[in-house]
């Protein structure tokens, strides 16, 4: 199975209102809820691709219970979230029906105690034993040390499990130094890591900092990859209109499934770009329709060069 | 025990944010949650006064579970909520720390099926057998017939249980015709019921429509009562600064406890006005501090006249 780690899980709630006006009272016309946090989004897309996935991380309180119930009801995904005393956070996206704009309210995550962090690390080590690859995704909740991902990368490598890291800021900086197999920063995260706003240079620089392969997700410009085998760019078909939330998570699922299936890099990137595009086009942010993905597969252009042996 | 009915229960969530701006992303700095819906607020205040209270109405889904857990943890309150398949609604109050203003987002209530409505009516009839008084509070969720309160008023009267009705619009109009012992409209609800914006005339008119006693809550002007025994006005001490949310529910608790304790009307009104004022002054909307209430009791002025025998 593929293991995804989401230390800061969430219940993502979407409200539709006629028009959001501060200081007014609003009737919510429609409520949707789904388990959130980048690693859970990755898990769902991997399941759509037919992979067996185990999702770990933390869950607590009434909201954590809802996240676990929903996860358990997702075909192909096994819930291995570790309990915390604090409450899993809710995120609320308020969609203004008139303008189409979204206002976001994000609760703080639960504070994880040292004992809970230790319990997670033990559970993680156990899960690695049967994992073919692992994705470490998203922000760290309060209480988890900033070097957490570096430790989880090292544990995966010690267990011989390929590891992809998708986070930001100091957690990414420290994690990269532990030499993950792949990182998937977006343009901002890559610039913050390397100090360079020039993606070609920055992906190379991120490799020098420790990442074996770097795949930068550059929005409408697609993916830019620097790997030991070569450098490639995967470009989606024309400009896509839709919701880019979750597109990066779909790309992670594509990269990870391609790694497990031992696809050549260009094929992994094609898959990742097609999943990313399918996610943008999906009516619900981050959900991927298998039919749309398969149709898009043929419309991704990959260009690049293989590294001389 | 005193029975309170809340057909449209809620989980009231309060978020604090630095400054609410549409289309931006916000970190919520503080989250508080409590069971809501007018009848549950009434139940809490009755418990503070030392009464045994049973709270019924509907609860469903994950949010309903949280409401029931919280209610069970409230000393003096017994949870007798009836299950529904739909999810209990959340209300979210977003408090802007800079302006102090509140933006409200209210989910729709669950749709109650005819079978669920029948199950509630049976449970209600059973609970009436051991009730000394009953309060019917708040709006009707979708699926519950608009004449619901009229039926519940009649059932209470048939069981010999005094009944207070606190609702609005057509549900109030129909409920009043069933001759409840007390109604407690606010100024708007009273004007909508009677067509008169003159409170003295409107309270008399509401009595003619069927209510045995009418206690109008007029905000900073206090309470105006028209009863078979006389007419009174209870005025709180000066202008109070605070949150008026829940002040009407505190007044209902005062009226109902006074009725059960067979207090004379002026004493019931003094209690209701003092509880209402204590609720306005409380840091959390609708919570009443017993010390503040007792201090305010001596500062409510009641004026009026007894009806000639």
């Amino acid at each position: 199975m593929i293991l995804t780690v989401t230390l800061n899980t969430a219940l993502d709630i979407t409200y539709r209102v006629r028009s959001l006006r501060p200081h007014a009272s609003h009737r919510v016309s429609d409520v949707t809820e789904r388990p959130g946090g980048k690693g859970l989004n990755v898990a769902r897309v991997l399941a759509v691709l037919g992979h067996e996935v185990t999702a770990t991380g933390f869950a607590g309180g009434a909201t954590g219970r809802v996240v676990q119930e929903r996860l358990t009801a997702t075909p192909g995904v096994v819930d291995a979230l570790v309990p915390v005393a604090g409450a899993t956070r809710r995120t609320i996206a308020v969609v203004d029906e008139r303008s189409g704009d979204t206002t976001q309210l994000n609760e703080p995550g639960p504070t994880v105690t040292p004992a809970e962090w230790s319990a997670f690390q033990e559970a993680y080590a156990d899960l690695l034993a049967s994992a073919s690859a692992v994705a470490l995704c998203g922000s760290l909740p309060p209480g988890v040390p900033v070097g957490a991902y570096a430790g989880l990368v090292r544990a995966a490598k010690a267990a011989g499990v390929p590891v992809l890291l998708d986070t930001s800021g100091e957690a990414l900086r420290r994690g990269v130094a532990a030499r993950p197999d792949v990182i998937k920063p977006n343009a901002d995260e890559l610039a913050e890591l390397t100090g360079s706003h020039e993606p070609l240079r920055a992906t190379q620089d991120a490799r020098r900092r420790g990442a074996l392969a770097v795949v930068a997700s550059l929005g409408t410009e697609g993916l830019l990859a620097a790997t030991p085998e070569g450098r490639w760019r995967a470009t989606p078909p024309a400009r896509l209109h839709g919701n880019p939330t979750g597109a990066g998570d779909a790309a992670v699922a594509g990269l990870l499934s391609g790694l497990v299936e031992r696809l050549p890099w260009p094929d992994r990137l094609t898959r990742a770009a097609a999943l990313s595009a399918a996610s943008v086009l999906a009516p619900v942010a981050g959900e991927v329709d298998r039919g749309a993905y398969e149709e898009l597969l043929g419309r991704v252009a990959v260009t690049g060069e293989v590294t001389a042996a």
Side-chain angles (χ1 to χ4, degrees), chain A:
Chain A
M1 56 85 173
I2 297 177
L3 182 63
T4 72
V5 173
T6 317
L7 296 177
N8 212 0
T9 53
L11 183 66
D12 289 338
I13 301 171
T14 303
Y15 284 168
R16 298 189 79 85
V17 300
R18 187 87 56 87
S19 169
L20 182 66
R21 285 169 302 125
H23 316 152
S25 188
H26 305 78
R27 271 174 206 276
V28 174
S29 61
D30 187 62
V31 182
T32 60
E33 289 187 356
R34 57 161 208 175
K38 290 162 91 67
L40 298 190
N41 299 343
V42 172
R44 262 196 306 268
V45 178
L46 283 168
V48 168
L49 293 174
H51 282 275
E52 286 187 4
V53 195
T54 297
T56 188
F58 291 111
T63 303
R65 276 200 314 250
V66 174
V67 166
Q68 293 193 282
E69 283 168 11
R70 296 292 182 101
L71 215 53
T72 303
T74 308
V77 179
V78 173
D79 163 28
L81 294 171
V82 172
V84 275
T88 294
R89 67 201 169 109
R90 286 170 288 217
T91 75
I92 299 190
V94 184
V95 178
D96 183 315
E97 290 183 335
R98 222 169 40 177
S99 68
D101 283 319
T102 297
T103 306
Q104 191 73 34
L105 296 159
N106 297 325
E107 295 186 6
T111 298
V112 175
T113 65
E116 288 163 346
W117 175 235
S118 296
F120 171 79
Q121 288 169 288
E122 276 181 42
Y124 174 73
D126 289 348
L127 290 165
L128 280 177
S130 45
S132 55
V134 57
L136 308 173
C137 302
S139 60
L140 300 176
V144 170
V146 69
Y149 281 135
L152 300 181
V153 167
R154 276 187 225 104
K157 292 177 70 79
V161 179
V163 55
L164 182 152
L165 176 63
D166 183 12
T167 186
S168 59
E170 188 60 20
L172 174 59
R173 186 182 309 278
R174 302 235 195 157
V176 164
R179 311 189 69 79
D181 296 271
V182 188
I183 62 170
K184 193 229 57 62
N186 62 28
D188 288 345
E189 290 159 353
L190 184 64
E192 194 189 351
L193 175 68
T194 62
S196 165
H197 287 271
E198 203 288 288
L200 262 177
R201 164 182 272 174
T203 48
Q204 293 294 90
D205 181 84
R207 288 200 65 213
R208 277 193 295 273
R209 289 167 186 268
L212 204 64
V214 178
V215 181
S217 53
L218 306 174
T220 52
E221 288 170 55
L223 302 172
L224 181 67
T227 82
E229 287 137 65
R231 289 154 60 164
W232 291 274
R233 186 183 284 276
T235 313
R239 222 176 170 80
L240 300 167
H241 291 282
N243 190 337
T245 310
D249 303 332
V252 167
L255 295 173
L256 211 60
S257 63
L259 184 155
V260 166
E261 297 170 34
R262 300 177 187 278
L263 299 186
W265 266 105
D267 293 353
R268 296 188 202 178
L269 295 167
T270 302
R271 177 181 287 188
L275 285 170
S276 207
S279 158
V280 169
L281 295 176
V284 177
E287 302 286 333
V288 165
D289 175 72
R290 184 149 187 135
Y293 153 65
E294 285 173 354
E295 192 270 326
L296 284 158
L297 264 180
R299 296 167 59 202
V300 173
V302 177
T303 56
E305 55 188 35
V306 174
T307 305

